[in-house]
Structures are given as structure tokens and as C-alpha cells.
Amino acid sequence: MSAVELTKKQQKALDKAMDRGGNFTNPFEKRSKNKWRRSPLYLLTVVMIAPYYWMITSSFKSVKELQEVPPTVYPKNWISGNYYDKNFDPMQFQQDVIQGLFQRYPDIKFGFFRFMYNSVFVNISITILTLFIGSLAAYVVAKHRFRGKRAIYLTIIGSMMIPWQVGLIPGFLLVDDFGWLNTYWAYIIPALPKAFIVFFLVQYLSSIPDELIEAARIDGAREFTIYWRIVLPLLKPALVAMMIFTAIGEWNNFLWPLIIVQTQDMANLPVALAFLRNTGAGNIGSQGVIMAASLITSIPTILLFFLTQKHFIRGIALSGLK
Amino acid sequence: MSSPMFADSKKYAPSKRTGFRKFSEAGLSTYLMLSPFALLFIVFAVYPVLASLRLSFMRYNAICNPDQSPCGSVGFGNYQYLIMDDSRFHKALLNTTLYVIGSVIMGMIASLTLALVLQEDTRSNRVLRVIFFLPSVTSGIAIVLVWGWVFRGDDIGLLNALFNFVGLPTVEWLATPSLAIPILIFMAMWGGAGFGMVLFLAGLNSIPAMYYEAAVIDGAGPRERFRYITLPLLRPVMVYVGITGTIGAFQIFEGVYLLFPTSVGSIGGFKDMALMIVPYLYDMGFNKFRLGYASAIAWILFGIIFAISMINLKLTRSLEDLR
């Protein structure tokens, strides 16, 4: 830059642009003097937050307040009756008292906690196992030479082009044939082979030099030891990103669980939520309980996102820009 | 790579014999390590797709009783009926197409605008980015249930409360056919704009600053810089966001399933106003147990997605050749 003589006008334009923090791309930058320029953005932000705000506040409103027209924006009293109401008595009809979320499902052991357990157990199992078998396969595909490797890798990549609903019905029949309907097996096993994870990890591994692995091989290390001691630590950033993706995706999974669940006690949180909605659909008084369940379903993934934000965003950028 | 540690191993690496040795040495462990994924992949990913293709040419239900509900080959019968005669499927195709076009185009515009507006790395922008991204990690069902309340047809519905507040009449949001697709598009934008924004932000940050510096020196204004630098260099991200967005949009299910149920065992709302491909597939497969017919729907879905991906790829390639 210093080698070029800039005219005064050019220098001025450059300085002016630099004053805005070097942000040269924004086509709206001309209007930056106006302090109201971002007000539409803040209006949009309100639209973004409103559903969350409504979910939280409504879950703490009383049945009476929920029925008010127009609805109250801020709860008059924060009550926890939608979660657990001490005054609730199943033996008699009570006005303005509702069966709290954790008092429902008397036939299911642990009530609503059972759905939370189902979701957590299934999620952890899938995430660990899918990453384990996926990274094993990715290591072999990226760093071994063997017959049929190209065909296998192409099949894995090709399968990502097919929408997963194509295999939905035979998958259901298969799980039925195995006698797995309404069990954790049906949740976990079919969810394990994830083509995208292998694809992503192979891409990531191909940027790691072979020398490291070859050196270990020459030193006489066994293949699994190489995988465990060398490849896994190298893969860590990619595995973290995939872990977050898998965990959040599986937590919010709905259509497959909806099909394989036959008794309510095997539902995961999204399916339990849909069942809950279907039983009390029109009744405005039960909306508080539904919002309470929605909140409980939403919190874990949001929390995971906040805890792992950096890895998460980097993972999206990585997988999108390959 | 040039460190002395690896100097020795280089001696072994390039010869053909080492290549063979590597193959035979790693042989058993190779297949052992590959087999867990490969077996599960064959059973739960490859087989279902092939079986679904076979089913799509059959009349098939869960019972297969030769007297009452026989199963058997129907050739192209399922496809023929779907394409020629099934008016509910035509409605589902039309609805899905409108929804995909609307949500992808408007979603792209929204994502790119958000990325441009929130590009500068200030503290408030970082907070706003997180807020716009939150729906991408929130349970779709939980959010749909809130939308269900927002769009309630009575006075307790939030949007109606707002309408009444400013003196507008109550609207039956979810029972008005012309509003069904726009509402679903709005929900898709609310839920998906933040994800696209992150991808566009990554794309924007990878554009070297010197291009803009050079453009400023040459006297290009903000609009020219956007038109001649930002847009062309963002094309790969746009293609990616466009293809993944289209594929995702074709698979819409939850919003239709929860917001527009007509009755038990049916789906899609009043006069099928919100009927889409995957909800129709679900209805045929798991409410009516016409599993062969549902498989044919799944393959048509695949055909559409495949064709769009191919056209998109070809189009961007030929655009690149032109330059």
C-alpha cells in the first residue's frame, strides 16, 4: 500500500471507510449517522424473543389469569401451579386449580420425569456410540488403503443426497421385525450410522499429515492404539462440533419417535409434548402446563448451545464452507 | 514435515512394496474397525432405501391378508395414481412448492441482510446474533406450540389480542386457507434465518479486506462494493444455503402436524389447506397403513430434491464457466 501514491480524495475515502471500523461491505453504511437506523432491527429482535418470553411467563400464570381477555403481558402473580400444585386433589372437581405437570401421568412411574429420562438416556447413548463408530470408520477411510474404499466412501456421500424419509417405512417395518417397537433399541440403533459424521471427519482427517500415523505404525503400534492415542486427540475439535450437532438434533427429533412409540411411557420429550397438546388442545387453562413442558424441553439444548457456542458456530462454518 | 523425526520414515513411504505391505498389514484391523459402521449403515441406511424402492411398486399394508387386504406388485400403479389422479397429493405438491419457494427466497434475503447488518464485531451485535440464532437450537415442537397460541382464532390468541388492541377485527388465522402457507413461511423464517446468517457471516469474513480497500481507492461506493465484490464472492455460500434450505423446506412436517390437524387420523387442515408432502406420506403410511403407496410418495420426494440439487449445481457451474 505504501508504495502507491494515493490522491487526496482517495486517501480521504479510505480514511472515512476505516473510521467505520474497516467494515467495507455493509451497503447500509451511508446511513450510519442516523441513530434510528437500527430500529427495525430491534423491532425484529422483539419478534424473535417474544415466543420465548411468552413460553416462560405463561408457564407461571394461574389458570384464572390464563383465561383473561385480553391476555396479560406480565404475570400478576408468579405461581408454580402449572408445574406442581399443592392444592390439587384428583378426587374432586376444582375450579381454577390444575393438575401440575409433575402430578400428571399417574400410571407412569416417575411421571413426567420419565420422558426427561428417556430423552437424556437416548441422547447420550446415540451421541457417544455414533461418534465412536463414525470416527473409527472415518479413520479407516481417510488413512487406510484397501479394496473397495472408494465405492464405500461414494456410497456414504451419495446417501446424504437421499432424504431420510425415503427409508422411513422399511425402517419401521425392519424395527418391527426385530421386535424393537416401543423400546430404546428402536430409538438408538437405527440412529447410529450417520453418513454426515463420517464425511465431515474424513474431510477433517485428510488435512492431517499421514506421517504422524505412519511413524506410529513403523514403531509397531497396533491400529486401534493409533486410533485411540493419535487420531482421536487430533480429531477432538471436529468431534466436539459433531457431538453438539448430534445431541441437539437428536434431542429435537420428532417424526421417528412418533412412529416407534406405542405406549406413552416410552415417549421422548417432543413426543410427550405433542401428546400433551392433543389431550388439552382447545382448553386455554391447560396452556400453562403445556408451556411449562415446552420450557423444560427447550432449556437443555439452549444451555448446551450457550456452553459450547464457540465450537458450535465454528462447526457450522466449517461444515458449510467445505 | 521436514523435521528430522520423519526423515527415516520417508525411506519406506514411496516404494510400491510399502503400499502393498500397508494393505496387507492393515487388512484385518481395517475391516474390523470399519465393520460396526458399515454393518449398521447397510442394515439401517442402504437396505431401507432399496426396500422402499421395491415397496413403492407394490400394494402393501401391515396385515397382508390375501382375502381382505392382499399385498402384491402393482407395477407403476402407485406412481401413476399419484401423478395422474390423486388430487390430495397434487394439493400437497402445490402447497409444498409454494412453501419452499417462499421460505427459501425470503429466508435467503433475511439471512443475508442479518449477516450484513450484524457483521461488525461489536458487543451488541454479538448479543443480537445469539438471539437470532436461538431458534435453530430450540425444540421445533415447543416453538410450534407457542405459535399455536399466537395464531389462535379466538380473542385469547396473541395476534388477535394485538389486533383487537389497535381496533382490528379478530381473524381465524389457522382456519383461513389463504393464510396457511404464509404463516408456515413466517415460522420457517423465524426459525431458520439465524442459521443462514451464521453461514453468510462466515462467508463475509472470508472475503479479504484488500478487495474492499482497492475498491474504495478506485472510488467505488458502498453499493458498488456490495454488487461487484460481496455478492459474487458469496456465491458459494448462497448455493450451499439455497440447496440445504430447499432440501430442508421440502421435508416440513412438525408445523403442519401440530397446527393444522383436521381430525384424528387425518392431516393438513380444513380443505387440506396446509397439506404437504411429508405429512401426506405420514398420513398414508401410519394412519391408513398404505405402506407401498407412502413409499412411492417418498421416492417422488427424492426425485424432486435430486432434480433441484442437480439443476442448482449445473446452474452454478455454468455460471462459473461464463466468467
Side-chain angles (χ1 to χ4, degrees), chain B residues 12-13 15-16 37 72-73 90 94 105 132 148 183 202 206 216 222 232 247 249 262 269 283 292 297 307 323:
Chain B
Y12 301 90
S15 81
K16 258 191 180 169
F37 181 86
S73 171
H90 297 164
L94 178 70
I105 291 177
F132 278 96
I183 285 174
S206 68
V216 167
I247 293 175
T262 14
D283 191 34
I297 297 173
R323 280 194 295 149

Short mmCIF file of all heavy atoms in Angstrom, two decimals, chain B residues 12-13 15-16 37 72-73 90 94 105 132 148 183 202 206 216 222 232 247 249 262 269 283 292 297 307 323:
data_model
loop_
_atom_site.label_atom_id
_atom_site.label_comp_id
_atom_site.label_asym_id
_atom_site.label_seq_id
_atom_site.Cartn_x
_atom_site.Cartn_y
_atom_site.Cartn_z
N TYR B 12 10.69 -45.41 3.64
CA TYR B 12 9.76 -46.53 3.42
C TYR B 12 8.57 -46.12 2.58
O TYR B 12 8.03 -46.93 1.85
CB TYR B 12 9.24 -47.07 4.76
CG TYR B 12 10.32 -47.55 5.67
CD1 TYR B 12 10.93 -46.70 6.58
CD2 TYR B 12 10.74 -48.88 5.62
CE1 TYR B 12 11.92 -47.14 7.41
CE2 TYR B 12 11.74 -49.32 6.45
CZ TYR B 12 12.33 -48.45 7.35
OH TYR B 12 13.31 -48.88 8.16
N ALA B 13 8.21 -44.88 2.70
CA ALA B 13 6.91 -44.46 2.16
C ALA B 13 6.74 -44.63 0.65
O ALA B 13 5.74 -45.22 0.25
CB ALA B 13 6.63 -43.04 2.59
N SER B 15 7.90 -46.38 -1.94
CA SER B 15 8.01 -47.57 -2.79
C SER B 15 6.68 -48.29 -2.93
O SER B 15 5.81 -48.19 -2.07
CB SER B 15 9.03 -48.54 -2.21
OG SER B 15 8.46 -49.29 -1.17
N LYS B 16 6.52 -48.99 -4.03
CA LYS B 16 5.27 -49.71 -4.29
C LYS B 16 5.08 -50.82 -3.25
O LYS B 16 3.97 -51.11 -2.85
CB LYS B 16 5.31 -50.31 -5.69
CG LYS B 16 4.50 -49.50 -6.70
CD LYS B 16 4.35 -50.26 -7.98
CE LYS B 16 3.54 -49.45 -8.98
NZ LYS B 16 3.60 -50.03 -10.31
N PHE B 37 -19.65 -49.50 11.76
CA PHE B 37 -20.39 -48.51 10.98
C PHE B 37 -20.97 -49.14 9.73
O PHE B 37 -22.14 -48.95 9.41
CB PHE B 37 -19.47 -47.35 10.60
CG PHE B 37 -20.18 -46.27 9.82
CD1 PHE B 37 -20.84 -45.27 10.49
CD2 PHE B 37 -20.21 -46.30 8.43
CE1 PHE B 37 -21.52 -44.29 9.78
CE2 PHE B 37 -20.88 -45.32 7.72
CZ PHE B 37 -21.53 -44.31 8.41
N GLY B 72 -49.11 -57.16 -3.09
CA GLY B 72 -48.55 -57.67 -4.32
C GLY B 72 -48.12 -56.55 -5.23
O GLY B 72 -48.36 -55.37 -4.94
N SER B 73 -47.46 -56.93 -6.31
CA SER B 73 -46.92 -55.93 -7.22
C SER B 73 -48.04 -55.22 -7.97
O SER B 73 -49.03 -55.83 -8.37
CB SER B 73 -45.97 -56.61 -8.20
OG SER B 73 -45.61 -55.69 -9.20
N HIS B 90 -51.75 -33.80 -5.31
CA HIS B 90 -51.49 -32.60 -6.11
C HIS B 90 -51.54 -31.37 -5.23
O HIS B 90 -50.72 -30.46 -5.35
CB HIS B 90 -52.51 -32.49 -7.24
CG HIS B 90 -52.42 -33.63 -8.21
ND1 HIS B 90 -53.40 -33.92 -9.11
CD2 HIS B 90 -51.45 -34.56 -8.39
CE1 HIS B 90 -53.06 -35.00 -9.82
NE2 HIS B 90 -51.87 -35.39 -9.39
N LEU B 94 -48.50 -28.79 -4.60
CA LEU B 94 -48.66 -27.35 -4.83
C LEU B 94 -48.30 -26.58 -3.56
O LEU B 94 -47.51 -25.62 -3.59
CB LEU B 94 -50.10 -27.05 -5.26
CG LEU B 94 -50.42 -25.57 -5.48
CD1 LEU B 94 -49.71 -25.08 -6.74
CD2 LEU B 94 -51.91 -25.35 -5.61
N ILE B 105 -36.50 -18.26 -0.67
CA ILE B 105 -36.12 -16.93 -1.17
C ILE B 105 -36.14 -15.91 -0.05
O ILE B 105 -35.16 -15.19 0.18
CB ILE B 105 -37.07 -16.50 -2.31
CG1 ILE B 105 -36.82 -17.38 -3.54
CG2 ILE B 105 -36.85 -15.03 -2.67
CD1 ILE B 105 -37.73 -17.10 -4.69
N PHE B 132 -30.83 -14.16 17.36
CA PHE B 132 -31.37 -14.61 16.09
C PHE B 132 -31.07 -16.08 15.82
O PHE B 132 -31.76 -16.74 15.07
CB PHE B 132 -30.83 -13.75 14.94
CG PHE B 132 -31.57 -12.46 14.78
CD1 PHE B 132 -31.10 -11.30 15.37
CD2 PHE B 132 -32.77 -12.41 14.09
CE1 PHE B 132 -31.80 -10.10 15.25
CE2 PHE B 132 -33.47 -11.24 13.96
CZ PHE B 132 -32.98 -10.07 14.55
N GLY B 148 -48.92 -21.85 17.98
CA GLY B 148 -50.31 -22.26 18.02
C GLY B 148 -51.14 -21.30 18.86
O GLY B 148 -52.29 -20.98 18.53
N ILE B 183 -48.30 -18.27 6.94
CA ILE B 183 -47.97 -18.47 8.35
C ILE B 183 -46.82 -19.46 8.49
O ILE B 183 -45.87 -19.24 9.25
CB ILE B 183 -49.22 -18.96 9.13
CG1 ILE B 183 -50.18 -17.78 9.35
CG2 ILE B 183 -48.82 -19.58 10.47
CD1 ILE B 183 -51.48 -18.17 9.98
N ALA B 202 -19.80 -16.27 8.09
CA ALA B 202 -18.54 -16.96 7.84
C ALA B 202 -18.04 -16.63 6.43
O ALA B 202 -16.84 -16.39 6.22
CB ALA B 202 -18.72 -18.47 7.99
N SER B 206 -14.59 -14.33 5.25
CA SER B 206 -13.51 -14.94 4.48
C SER B 206 -13.16 -14.12 3.24
O SER B 206 -12.27 -14.48 2.49
CB SER B 206 -13.89 -16.37 4.09
OG SER B 206 -14.93 -16.33 3.15
N VAL B 216 -12.34 0.94 -2.63
CA VAL B 216 -12.51 2.27 -2.07
C VAL B 216 -11.57 3.24 -2.77
O VAL B 216 -11.97 4.35 -3.15
CB VAL B 216 -12.25 2.25 -0.55
CG1 VAL B 216 -12.12 3.67 -0.01
CG2 VAL B 216 -13.37 1.53 0.17
N PRO B 222 -20.47 2.20 -1.49
CA PRO B 222 -20.91 1.00 -0.78
C PRO B 222 -21.74 0.08 -1.66
O PRO B 222 -21.61 -1.14 -1.60
CB PRO B 222 -21.74 1.53 0.37
CG PRO B 222 -21.60 2.99 0.38
CD PRO B 222 -20.84 3.43 -0.81
N PRO B 232 -20.67 -11.49 -5.63
CA PRO B 232 -20.02 -12.59 -6.39
C PRO B 232 -19.22 -13.52 -5.48
O PRO B 232 -19.25 -14.74 -5.68
CB PRO B 232 -19.08 -11.85 -7.35
CG PRO B 232 -19.56 -10.47 -7.40
CD PRO B 232 -20.26 -10.18 -6.12
N ILE B 247 -33.78 -28.39 0.47
CA ILE B 247 -33.97 -29.78 0.90
C ILE B 247 -34.71 -29.80 2.24
O ILE B 247 -35.66 -30.56 2.43
CB ILE B 247 -32.61 -30.50 0.99
CG1 ILE B 247 -32.02 -30.65 -0.41
CG2 ILE B 247 -32.75 -31.86 1.66
CD1 ILE B 247 -30.63 -31.24 -0.45
N ALA B 249 -36.67 -27.50 3.51
CA ALA B 249 -38.03 -26.99 3.41
C ALA B 249 -38.98 -28.04 2.83
O ALA B 249 -40.14 -28.13 3.24
CB ALA B 249 -38.05 -25.73 2.55
N THR B 262 -56.92 -31.90 11.07
CA THR B 262 -58.35 -31.80 10.80
C THR B 262 -59.13 -32.67 11.77
O THR B 262 -60.07 -32.24 12.40
CB THR B 262 -58.68 -32.23 9.36
OG1 THR B 262 -57.56 -32.90 8.82
CG2 THR B 262 -59.05 -31.04 8.53
N GLY B 269 -55.35 -29.85 7.78
CA GLY B 269 -56.22 -28.71 7.99
C GLY B 269 -57.45 -28.71 7.10
O GLY B 269 -57.61 -29.56 6.22
N ASP B 283 -49.46 -39.61 6.80
CA ASP B 283 -50.89 -39.94 6.85
C ASP B 283 -51.16 -41.27 6.14
O ASP B 283 -51.84 -42.15 6.66
CB ASP B 283 -51.68 -38.80 6.21
CG ASP B 283 -53.17 -38.93 6.46
OD1 ASP B 283 -53.53 -39.40 7.55
OD2 ASP B 283 -53.96 -38.59 5.57
N GLY B 292 -46.98 -49.24 0.71
CA GLY B 292 -46.43 -49.16 -0.63
C GLY B 292 -46.66 -47.79 -1.24
O GLY B 292 -45.75 -47.17 -1.81
N ILE B 297 -44.62 -42.08 -2.53
CA ILE B 297 -44.55 -40.65 -2.23
C ILE B 297 -43.12 -40.27 -1.84
O ILE B 297 -42.57 -39.26 -2.30
CB ILE B 297 -45.52 -40.28 -1.10
CG1 ILE B 297 -46.96 -40.56 -1.52
CG2 ILE B 297 -45.36 -38.82 -0.70
CD1 ILE B 297 -47.97 -40.39 -0.41
N ALA B 307 -33.52 -33.65 -8.42
CA ALA B 307 -33.55 -32.81 -9.61
C ALA B 307 -33.15 -31.38 -9.27
O ALA B 307 -32.34 -30.76 -9.97
CB ALA B 307 -34.95 -32.83 -10.23
N ARG B 323 -17.85 -16.85 -16.47
CA ARG B 323 -16.97 -15.76 -16.02
C ARG B 323 -15.56 -15.89 -16.54
O ARG B 323 -15.06 -17.00 -16.73
CB ARG B 323 -16.96 -15.70 -14.49
CG ARG B 323 -18.20 -14.99 -14.01
CD ARG B 323 -18.07 -14.60 -12.56
NE ARG B 323 -17.97 -15.76 -11.71
CZ ARG B 323 -17.29 -15.78 -10.56
NH1 ARG B 323 -16.65 -14.72 -10.19
NH2 ARG B 323 -17.27 -16.84 -9.82
#
